[in-house]
Amino acid sequence: MPKLHGANASPFVRKVRVALAEKNLPYELVPVVPFNLSAEFKRMSPLGKIPVLEEDDGYTLPDSSCILAYLERTRPEPSLYPKDAKDYGRALFLEEYADTRVVETFGPVFFERVIKPRFFKQEPDQARVEEALGKAPAVLDWLESQLGDGPAVGARFSIADIAIASPFVNWMHGGERVDAARWPKLAAFLERTWSRPSFKALIEEEQKMWAS
Ligand SMILES: N[C@@H](CCC(=O)N[C@@H](CS)C(=O)NCC(=O)O)C(=O)O
């Protein structure tokens, strides 16, 4: 059974876990938090980041986007990448936008409000939270402009849906919601995507963890 090294609070680890669930692939989650990483972990992940996938034969691969692309080749069903070339390109860009702009904009809210008090026994830096909240509407506006009433790209669920919906789970854990009156397509998209069994099971697992 493959191993996935990482922590379930990471939006990048969540991307891979959702893809593994969509592909119906059992795996073992090996808990790794990205602080004080061991030399052994750094050999698998030269950038010092989670997640890392480890196959039974010892093959290891870091980076959620690389892992999803690799899984698509090794476990092609169901496909998580659009067939049409233009849709494929757009899905890759939406994944990139989510992994960078969405995560860097919303990440500080989750870090300050959830990670810092729990793991570092420190108060949240309110100025940092306010700064992030101030930057959020521009990101939400752009996502709203990209979404329709179905999957993010084309007619089928894809990596674009996984990548966009994943960091918003952290946003929710940080006490924020997408205002459905201002961003109706994005709010409905998240509701639809999070209600899939792959996301739903993880969100429930994470909510239990944060409540304990
Ligand atoms: N591009 C990477 C990003 C992974 C990433 O930034 N992971 C964070 C946790 S959410 C991490 O390990 N950070 C530790 C660090 O940057 O030192 C991916 O898609 O997997």
Side-chain angles (χ1 to χ4, degrees), residues 109 113-114 170-177:
V109 176
R113 287 186 178 158
V114 181
N170 294 72
W171 182 242
M172 174 173 65
H173 291 325
E176 295 298 322
R177 289 285 182 284

Side-chain angles (χ1 to χ4, degrees), residues 92-152:
L92 292 181
F93 179 69
L94 285 168
E95 179 185 28
E96 176 62 13
Y97 184 87
D99 285 1
T100 55
R101 185 56 50 83
V102 177
V103 169
E104 80 204 7
T105 306
F106 300 167
V109 176
F110 174 71
F111 183 81
E112 293 297 330
R113 287 186 178 158
V114 181
I115 299 291
K116 232 169 143 179
R118 193 162 178 124
F119 295 105
F120 299 100
K121 307 283 175 241
Q122 287 172 15
E123 291 295 310
D125 177 342
Q126 293 301 350
R128 198 162 172 243
V129 171
E130 289 309 319
E131 190 191 342
L133 292 176
K135 288 181 182 164
V139 176
L140 301 175
D141 283 347
W142 189 78
L143 288 172
E144 180 75 10
S145 76
Q146 299 301 304
L147 294 170
D149 298 327

Side-chain angles (χ1 to χ4, degrees), residues 10-12 15 34 47-51 63-65 99:
S10 157
F12 302 105
K15 273 174 70 188
L47 296 174
K49 293 175 194 279
I50 54 171
D63 193 284
S64 65
S65 302
D99 285 1

Side-chain angles (χ1 to χ4, degrees), residues 40-71:
E40 189 193 345
F41 184 83
K42 284 189 193 153
R43 271 195 291 279
M44 297 193 291
S45 181
L47 296 174
K49 293 175 194 279
I50 54 171
V52 170
L53 182 78
E54 181 180 0
E55 293 277 34
D56 288 340
D57 64 2
Y59 175 82
T60 60
L61 185 65
D63 193 284
S64 65
S65 302
C66 299
I67 296 169
L68 294 198
Y70 165 80
L71 288 175

